[in-house]
Amino acid sequence: MLKVNGIDVFYGNIQALHGVSLEINQGEIVTLIGANGAGKSTLLKAISGLLKPKQGDIVYEGTSISGRAAQAIVKEGISHVPEGRRVFANMTVEENLELGAFLRKDKDGIRQDFAKVYELFPRLLERKKQLSGTLSGGEQQMLAMGRALMARPKLLLLDEPSMGLAPLLVKTIFRIIEEINQAGTTVLLVEQNANMALSIADRAYVIETGRVVLSGTAEELNASDQIKMAYLGGH
């Protein structure tokens, strides 16, 4: 579904990604594991069109999307839930969700997706007339995910969905990611909580200082001593 071929990405003169390659098959949950500043968010931004690779190519469903505008990439079926949630604080929950569907014209489909989002996140239904800035962190995370789903993506990019959330809420968010995936959406997940990420992923890539240093099935990485030492708090 998605092939990233040897991309280099820079912030000014600083190289953030060095020849990164990965692939995602339709229907998978793939997770990116790595320390803060390793380049995981940069990779998501390159895929969603927020950053332009200097070298290499990003191919989605057989077509190169490298360097295309972010809104064109959303139209193709890729939605990005950025780190830190980024909801529109002075708009209601419902208005935020409407924005997620702004490129769509199918009124019936949009209505169905509102119902689906409220089914996945009942809390948002209770709060639909409330200003998003007044929601808790967990509720804002739900809203950011719901808003991305309103674009009806085929591929969902999730950047640190559990950041700053209470453990119980983290479990809820991960259960919902699995539900979204089972309903047919492919997921690329960036997550500091490597244990949780590997528990739901099919495959994983480990990124260190802008390079992919390891990849394999979630089981393989879970069993790797190198990964246990570095990311899973194991010995």
Side-chain angles (χ1 to χ4, degrees), residues 11 16 22 45 63 67 74 113-114 138 197 223:
Y11 288 105
L22 61 81
K45 286 175 184 167
T63 305
V74 172
D113 286 351
F114 258 111

Side-chain angles (χ1 to χ4, degrees), residues 90-110:
N90 55 353
M91 297 171 87
T92 65
V93 165
E94 198 163 42
E95 287 165 341
N96 267 271
L97 292 175
E98 274 168 5
L99 273 180
F102 81 101
L103 289 173
R104 293 173 56 184
K105 303 280 181 278
D106 55 323
K107 286 207 167 64
D108 286 348
I110 291 170

Side-chain angles (χ1 to χ4, degrees), residues 58-234:
I58 300 169
V59 178
Y60 171 69
E61 294 190 325
T63 305
S64 172
I65 56 168
S66 207
R68 290 184 66 185
Q71 64 268 34
I73 290 173
V74 172
K75 230 176 185 157
E76 292 299 322
I78 298 178
S79 279
H80 184 177
V81 181
E83 189 183 344
R85 312 188 246 286
R86 313 267 172 88
V87 298
F88 294 99
N90 55 353
M91 297 171 87
T92 65
V93 165
E94 198 163 42
E95 287 165 341
N96 267 271
L97 292 175
E98 274 168 5
L99 273 180
F102 81 101
L103 289 173
R104 293 173 56 184
K105 303 280 181 278
D106 55 323
K107 286 207 167 64
D108 286 348
I110 291 170
R111 249 200 315 274
Q112 285 166 13
D113 286 351
F114 258 111
K116 252 189 230 158
V117 166
Y118 286 144
E119 199 180 316
L120 275 174
F121 303 106
R123 189 77 59 82
L124 295 184
L125 180 57
E126 292 165 23
R127 307 257 191 278
K128 70 178 186 179
K129 297 297 183 201
Q130 202 168 311
L131 290 181
S132 305
T134 64
L135 300 177
S136 71
E139 290 161 351
Q140 288 188 10
Q141 184 59 55
M142 292 172 186
L143 178 56
M145 288 167 68
R147 185 177 63 196
L149 290 174
M150 289 300 294
R152 204 173 269 192
K154 294 184 252 181
L155 173 61
L156 184 61
L157 311 177
L158 285 172
D159 197 352
E160 301 285 9
S162 80
M163 191 185 261
L165 300 186
L168 203 62
L169 255 180
V170 172
K171 282 202 170 105
T172 304
I173 293 286
F174 273 83
R175 193 196 71 239
I176 290 164
I177 293 169
E178 284 189 290
E179 281 178 37
I180 290 167
N181 176 249
Q182 281 154 10
T185 304
T186 305
V187 177
L188 177 58
L189 170 67
V190 162
E191 180 52 66
Q192 286 272 276
N193 186 335
N195 278 312
M196 283 298 276
L198 289 172
S199 75
I200 67 167
D202 298 295
R203 291 186 305 110
Y205 290 87
V206 179
I207 295 188
E208 282 175 9
T209 56
R211 293 176 172 84
V212 172
V213 294
L214 205 60
S215 67
T217 65
E219 287 79 23
E220 286 165 353
L221 293 198
N222 242 329
S224 147
D225 289 338
Q226 189 186 343
I227 296 302
K228 275 185 191 149
M229 290 291 288
Y231 303 109
L232 302 178

